[in-house]
Every structure is written in structure tokens, then in C-alpha cells.
Amino acid sequence: MTKDHKVLEVEAELFEMGMEDGYAYYPVFSNKLIGYFHKDETIIPKSARKPAIKTRNGWRKVEVGKHYIITGLNRDRFVVGKDEFESISGMELTEREKLLKRVLMEIINIESNGTKSYEEIIEEADKLIRFARML
């Protein structure tokens, strides 16, 4: 009996300016959020702005060199902290396991209809990887 294995790929890129979907706007010298606006919308005068990515679960602020943008199978985008992404939750994973984890995270998110937090998705994917290692 032969098994047919399909490789599913997702993209992960370290965030750079130009990848943002919009911006989080703040009053000058304040951390109180005014709101998120698409980058094609009118700029709010007398405000500071920070880049943001529109995800399935809403807007997420991002910083250059501090976040990875993961693009899933259906082109949904997710924001992951650089340290978290590179450490893969503290587990030493092979390249194949890293890819598997990203795919599992995408599947978990789709199956939960976006109701699980990013942390819950990471935790569930880690449990599945640990289980697979025991087989």
C-alpha cells in the first residue's frame, strides 16, 4: 500500500513597509486609539499612525522587523511576533515540522471560524506536533 503525501505551503515574510493594509491612528502624544483605516482612506490630520494588517479576526498593528506576516492557503493573513515565529513556541522543530505547524495553525483557525485566539491556535498546533512525535 502506498501513501500519497501532498505538501501544502504557506508564505511567511518578515514585515516591511508596503505590506500594510492600513494604519492604526492615534492622537499626537497619546496612546488612545482613534481607529484603523485602510491605506487608501483619507489621512486623519494631527494624528500619528502605525502600520496594520487586516486579518480574519480584525486589525493587528505591526512593526518593521518585529513581526512576520503569514499568508495562508486561502490568502488570509496572520501576524506573528518575530521571536515567537522563530522559536516556534520553544520547540526545536525540523523544517518539515515548521511547515506542518503553520499548516495546522491555518486548519485550526479555519475550523474554529476565527473564534480561537492566536495563542489557543498555537497551543493546539503544538499539542498536535508533540502527539505526532510520539507516533
Side-chain angles (χ1 to χ4, degrees):
M1 174 199 283
T2 62
K3 292 183 180 180
D4 183 24
H5 296 280
K6 295 182 181 178
V7 176
L8 302 175
E9 292 187 25
V10 293
E11 298 173 19
E13 297 178 80
L14 195 56
F15 175 76
E16 297 176 357
M17 289 305 292
M19 295 171 67
E20 70 276 2
D21 295 321
Y23 300 95
Y25 282 90
Y26 300 86
V28 178
F29 305 115
S30 172
N31 288 331
K32 186 175 181 180
L33 178 68
I34 296 171
Y36 292 95
F37 297 90
H38 193 271
K39 64 181 172 184
D40 295 333
E41 293 182 271
T42 306
I43 295 174
I44 298 174
K46 296 184 182 178
S47 63
R49 68 181 190 175
K50 296 180 181 177
I53 297 290
K54 178 83 173 178
T55 70
R56 187 179 214 179
N57 299 323
W59 288 93
R60 295 275 315 266
K61 290 182 285 184
V62 290
E63 293 183 51
V64 173
K66 291 189 177 182
H67 293 96
Y68 273 91
I69 308 305
I70 297 175
T71 304
L73 304 174
N74 57 358
R75 308 308 300 166
D76 283 336
R77 295 183 356 157
F78 304 90
V79 177
V80 181
K82 182 179 185 224
D83 292 340
E84 184 177 5
F85 180 80
E86 290 177 352
S87 71
I88 311 292
S89 300
M91 293 190 329
E92 289 296 324
L93 301 177
T94 65
E95 289 303 312
R96 180 173 281 170
E97 287 173 328
K98 288 178 186 177
L99 176 60
L100 175 61
K101 181 171 182 174
R102 291 194 307 256
V103 171
L104 287 170
M105 288 171 57
E106 177 76 11
I107 292 168
I108 292 164
N109 189 53
I110 290 168
E111 287 183 351
S112 71
N113 275 336
T115 59
K116 292 188 177 194
S117 71
Y118 179 74
E119 291 75 22
E120 291 172 316
I121 292 170
I122 289 281
E123 185 178 326
E124 194 168 330
D126 284 343
K127 285 178 186 174
L128 290 169
I129 294 287
R130 284 187 197 99
F131 177 74
R133 282 181 168 178
M134 291 188 304
L135 298 179

